[in-house]
Amino acid sequence: MIKSIAAKLVLTLTLILGINMVSNADVIRLVVKEDLASCTGVAPMTCMQVKYKNSKNWELFYSPISGFKYQPGYRYVILVNRTKRTNVPADASAYEYKLKKVLRKVKMKQNTTTAWDFVLKHKWKLIQMNGVTQNDSPVYMTFDGEQKRVSGKSGCNSFFGGYDKSDGKLSFKQMAGTMMACSPELNKLEREFLTLIGDKTFKYDVAEQTLNLYQGNKLVLMFGMAPLK
């Protein structure tokens, strides 16, 4: 009889505690982004990116969500039980999170934008040639990704030709240009530039909004980004 009463009391207390825990939990709705982001908690790590009900921008989410099996490449809409913790360590979250329900899971198209896509969107003005800074240089070039053509100004003349790009290398081919008379200074600049790029192959990279062309390990041409007009 005593054991039966004790068992009933334990069951009653368990139910009460369970009800209290549920009642103390907030249910929140989260949109979870399809990729992780670098963040810093106790140490550098990766975090989910989420939006709450009133969020305009993605926010870093530092805590794990119990029961939620996140898969990169998918955007989720989920309901989560959020429970306030007691005796929280200084470096820990004030809340515990537990998945309540996955409302939506959608496969997202992956972003395939490359450095070369960035190059195609801009005009590139010469700012350095063979280690010499070019102040207010008239030389620039643009690239047509569909036609695989390059064109621009080599000084006071226009130039044009084709290009090939693969494995971090950029090759110019069949270069030609107009033949207007120029000042001696522009003639010298134009001749040096066209000789340097004419039917040549370079290694290239894009860094700090500059397009850099190398022969071997030597930087020979540097172009700065300028708006297309």
Side-chain angles (χ1 to χ4, degrees), residues 47-194:
C47 292
M48 289 186 293
Q49 302 178 80
V50 304
K51 285 185 178 180
Y52 298 87
K53 182 178 179 181
N54 297 316
S55 296
K56 292 183 178 180
N57 301 311
W58 294 105
E59 302 179 32
L60 295 172
F61 194 83
Y62 292 87
S63 301
I65 300 175
S66 176
F68 179 46
K69 296 181 179 180
Y70 173 80
Q71 186 177 355
Y74 290 85
R75 184 169 295 185
Y76 296 83
V77 180
I78 61 176
L79 294 179
V80 174
N81 287 324
R82 182 179 65 181
T83 306
K84 192 168 182 62
R85 301 173 63 187
T86 57
N87 301 319
V88 183
D91 57 354
S93 171
Y95 296 95
E96 289 182 344
Y97 298 87
K98 184 176 181 180
L99 179 68
K100 180 178 178 67
K101 187 176 183 180
V102 175
L103 299 177
R104 191 179 307 148
K105 178 183 179 182
V106 180
K107 177 72 173 178
M108 302 298 290
K109 184 178 179 180
Q110 295 299 302
N111 185 2
T112 57
T113 301
T114 66
W116 190 251
D117 293 322
F118 179 75
V119 171
L120 295 176
K121 293 179 180 179
H122 299 282
K123 178 169 74 175
W124 297 95
K125 185 175 179 180
L126 182 67
I127 58 177
Q128 188 182 109
M129 182 163 58
N130 279 329
V132 178
T133 300
Q134 305 293 314
N135 294 315
D136 298 320
S137 171
V139 178
Y140 72 85
M141 60 184 178
T142 61
F143 296 88
D144 184 328
E146 292 185 3
Q147 301 295 323
K148 295 294 180 69
R149 303 288 294 173
V150 59
S151 61
K153 285 282 187 180
S154 52
C156 67
N157 281 289
S158 298
F159 75 94
F160 43 86
Y163 76 87
D164 288 321
K165 180 196 69 68
S166 63
D167 299 327
K169 293 183 179 180
L170 179 63
S171 300
F172 296 95
K173 59 183 183 180
Q174 299 176 341
M175 305 301 292
T178 58
M179 300 181 67
M180 293 172 53
C182 303
S183 68
E185 293 81 6
L186 284 179
N187 273 332
K188 181 181 177 182
L189 174 66
E190 191 165 73
R191 185 166 54 250
E192 184 178 1
F193 174 71
L194 291 176

